[in-house]
Amino acid sequence: MANAVMETGADAKRLFEIVKVIRKYKVTQGISPDELCEMLKELGPTFVKLGQLLSMHPEIIPMEHCKKLEDLRTDASRLVTAQIREIITEEYGQPWNKVFKQIMPYPLGAASIAQVHEALLLDGTRVAIKIQRPEIYSVMERDVRLLKAALNVVKIKKINNVMDLGDTMDEVWAVAQEEMDFEREAENIRRVRENIEGIRYVYCPRVYDELSTKHILVMEYIGGFELTDKVQLEAQGYDVHEVCTKFINNYIKQFAEDRFFHADPHPGNVHVWDGRIVWLDLGMMGTLTVTDAELIKVCMKAIFSNDYLGFADAVLKICQHDPELDKEAYYERMRVYLDKYRVISMAEMSSTVDILADLYRIARDFGIKLPKSLTMFWRSLSIMEGTVSDLSPETDLAAIIGKHLAAQALVKGVAGSITKKISHKKLISGGPLSYSGHEQEPDEEIDELKEEPDGDMEE
């Protein structure tokens, strides 16, 4: 059994390091949110990624721990300039200064897998370089392998009888591998740029394909400031309500129409620049099948109409569940659940993190396994909600989602199809954001669809 855990002396040493750190923080005696974050950072990038994943599960660990774990998104040790230059030189097979005129020493952002630096190309063009940390793949692969083997030895299978630790480590590794493949991220960026083409208030930086590799991503430099920087928004004359409304409209489009959405839309990944909302860091994206997207819309419609039977049935269609499920008790729990979260204004609404946690508890109690797509959907929605409610409490997320649902409503016949297209286009279109010195013309009302293709928008 020991051989299954430790393949080399280096493995044994690493396992000893992990155990030593865990004992240092006396985990079995309870651990504060701050201590948990410090411990995970000390253990390394694999555990930081595990902490980021756990932050999405308030049904498993206390809410105060979840909130603190969100800090792990950007709080990481920084590679020094010499390391950055060495990585670039090795990746390109030539001196770094044969590709870049200058690399700014202080990173724009540092995370567990990579960090981003501003740089100048040889012709003076300003770019952003995302550089993967050296040896990160082998370090994380080893840690995941050791932890999974160790879990089998000590017979620890679940946290709070909810989260399967083996499955969790598999998910950590799968997510990490996606984020470490910068060629995949480049493709994500291209796809998002296609999806937002023609929408003037939203943007995504272009990729310099000829300079990008699996471990280095060179992109158009984006200035501006984080979406949540209300001081800058107001100082530059932006209408905060307009910014929040268009942010919501585009994000809902990602779910409902594109079925390809930013899976981590926290403020650091969304900037406001030159009259546009800019999507950054597209390494982790969520994908919905046609069926998933339609069932989620059914769920949302049921929530808005307080149709607990429709909602309960839609959840069962989306999820794997116990065939012996007590439907009478399940329907009653769903009725109470929807009564608790009846549609109200953003200022009064409980966090969707809490809403998701309650849904998870119901799922756990009735042997229902929520799919990853639904988990990512709810989690992303909760991040979006938190951002908007802090910035602009008067912006009613529920009302905006309701308009999208109305635009997607099933209407029979050709006239119905045209009506849907007009309604939907009004929601996702519009001019660039207005701000001081660069006021835009009012958003156009769409009276006809001269260039729309025939057929229904929905697939």
Side-chain angles (χ1 to χ4, degrees):
M1 181 64 73
N3 289 337
V5 179
M6 295 173 287
E7 296 180 359
T8 67
D11 286 353
K13 181 180 178 182
R14 175 57 177 157
L15 191 58
F16 176 76
E17 291 172 352
I18 292 170
V19 172
K20 184 179 178 181
V21 172
I22 291 173
R23 285 177 176 168
K24 170 185 172 182
Y25 285 90
K26 301 177 182 178
V27 174
T28 57
Q29 300 176 25
I31 187 168
S32 71
D34 287 332
E35 290 172 333
L36 177 59
C37 283
E38 289 304 312
M39 182 186 74
L40 294 175
K41 285 190 286 185
E42 192 170 333
L43 285 167
T46 309
F47 293 83
V48 169
K49 187 57 62 179
L50 175 60
Q52 292 171 349
L53 186 65
L54 283 173
S55 74
M56 303 179 186
H57 292 280
E59 80 285 3
I60 295 171
I61 60 175
M63 181 62 70
E64 60 269 23
H65 287 69
C66 287
K67 291 291 186 184
K68 189 62 182 179
L69 287 173
E70 292 178 357
D71 294 344
L72 294 175
R73 292 184 183 126
T74 55
D75 191 358
S77 60
R78 293 180 172 89
L79 298 172
V80 298
T81 305
Q83 289 175 294
I84 294 297
R85 290 173 174 173
E86 182 180 344
I87 293 168
I88 292 173
T89 295
E90 183 176 346
E91 186 72 12
Y92 288 142
Q94 61 179 319
W96 69 271
N97 56 8
K98 295 292 185 182
V99 182
F100 300 102
K101 182 177 182 180
Q102 185 179 6
I103 300 173
M104 307 309 170
Y106 195 80
L108 298 171
S112 59
I113 287 174
Q115 67 184 46
V116 181
H117 284 256
E118 179 186 351
L120 297 178
L121 298 180
L122 297 179
D123 64 2
T125 301
R126 201 176 181 190
V127 296
I129 318 171
K130 186 172 184 178
I131 304 112
Q132 191 168 129
R133 293 178 179 275
E135 308 299 328
I136 187 67
Y137 189 98
S138 58
V139 167
M140 294 193 73
E141 186 279 330
R142 178 195 61 191
D143 280 355
V144 169
R145 173 169 48 80
L146 284 175
L147 283 170
K148 288 193 68 179
L151 289 172
N152 288 331
V153 171
V154 299
K155 307 298 182 184
I156 297 177
K157 298 294 184 182
K158 293 188 176 182
I159 301 176
N160 287 355
N161 203 35
V162 177
M163 177 178 277
D164 184 288
L165 289 171
D167 289 348
T168 300
M169 294 313 301
D170 286 339
E171 184 177 349
V172 168
W173 183 228
V175 169
Q177 287 181 91
E178 287 186 11
E179 292 189 37
M180 284 187 280
D181 185 350
F182 289 176
E183 290 175 344
R184 181 189 180 104
E185 181 171 352
E187 178 56 36
N188 290 344
I189 292 172
R190 284 189 285 270
R191 184 171 172 183
V192 170
R193 284 175 62 85
E194 288 177 5
N195 290 342
I196 64 175
E197 187 175 357
I199 304 176
R200 293 183 291 164
Y201 62 82
V202 69
Y203 192 69
C204 182
R206 73 180 183 89
V207 174
Y208 287 80
D209 292 312
E210 68 280 8
L211 297 177
S212 297
T213 69
K214 191 168 185 175
H215 305 109
I216 292 178
L217 186 62
V218 182
M219 300 164 286
E220 174 184 4
Y221 178 83
I222 297 296
F225 46 87
E226 291 186 6
L227 178 73
T228 51
D229 192 340
K230 192 170 184 177
V231 172
Q232 281 292 334
L233 283 172
E234 293 178 341
Q236 296 192 25
Y238 283 94
D239 180 331
V240 177
H241 175 67
E242 179 196 12
V243 172
C244 288
T245 299
K246 289 184 173 178
F247 170 59
I248 294 170
N249 280 334
N250 185 251
Y251 204 53
I252 293 174
K253 175 185 181 293
Q254 293 181 28
F255 287 114
E257 181 181 333
D258 305 332
R259 304 194 306 278
F260 187 66
F261 60 94
H262 200 305
D264 191 20
H266 70 83
N269 289 338
V270 189
H271 277 210
V272 175
W273 178 55
D274 193 26
R276 296 175 293 186
I277 296 163
V278 186
W279 293 100
L280 302 173
D281 195 358
L282 300 171
M284 186 164 63
M285 300 293 292
T287 303
L288 298 173
T289 66
V290 175
T291 301
D292 285 343
E294 289 306 311
L295 285 173
I296 285 175
K297 280 189 254 182
V298 170
C299 283
M300 296 299 290
K301 290 174 184 177
I303 291 171
F304 274 69
S305 62
N306 202 35
D307 176 10
Y308 73 91
L309 290 175
F311 178 63
D313 286 337
V315 168
L316 291 182
K317 287 180 182 178
I318 293 173
C319 308
Q320 297 178 24
H321 62 278
D322 184 347
E324 302 300 320
L325 178 145
D326 182 344
K327 285 197 172 182
E328 184 175 349
Y330 168 65
Y331 285 139
E332 176 59 19
R333 280 285 295 278
M334 283 300 202
R335 183 190 67 77
V336 173
Y337 174 73
L338 285 193
D339 279 347
K340 180 179 179 181
Y341 295 113
R342 194 181 295 274
V343 175
I344 52 179
S345 71
M346 283 281 290
E348 300 171 314
M349 185 183 289
S350 299
S351 169
T352 47
V353 174
D354 297 331
I355 296 173
L356 174 60
D358 276 357
L359 183 59
Y360 261 105
R361 293 185 188 103
I362 295 173
R364 176 194 63 199
D365 292 346
F366 287 92
I368 299 169
K369 185 176 181 181
L370 298 177
K372 184 180 177 182
S373 59
L374 186 62
T375 302
M376 293 180 79
F377 165 76
W378 277 108
R379 174 59 183 171
S380 300
L381 190 64
S382 73
I383 296 172
M384 181 180 71
E385 178 219 57
T387 297
V388 171
S389 62
D390 288 343
L391 264 179
S392 177
E394 71 275 11
T395 301
D396 195 331
L397 174 65
I400 295 172
I401 293 176
K403 289 179 181 179
H404 280 269
L405 292 176
Q408 294 288 334
L410 294 177
V411 183
K412 303 295 183 181
V414 175
S417 175
I418 293 173
T419 300
K420 278 193 294 181
K421 284 188 281 191
I422 293 173
S423 299
H424 181 73
K425 192 161 185 177
K426 281 183 179 179
L427 291 173
I428 66 170
S429 64
L433 304 171
S434 299
Y435 63 108
S436 298
H438 295 81
E439 285 80 7
Q440 307 294 338
E441 295 181 3
D443 292 342
E444 295 178 2
E445 290 293 325
I446 300 170
D447 297 318
E448 56 184 353
L449 296 172
K450 296 179 180 178
E451 300 180 0
E452 285 291 332
D454 292 334
D456 203 324
M457 282 188 65
E458 293 188 4
E459 297 185 30

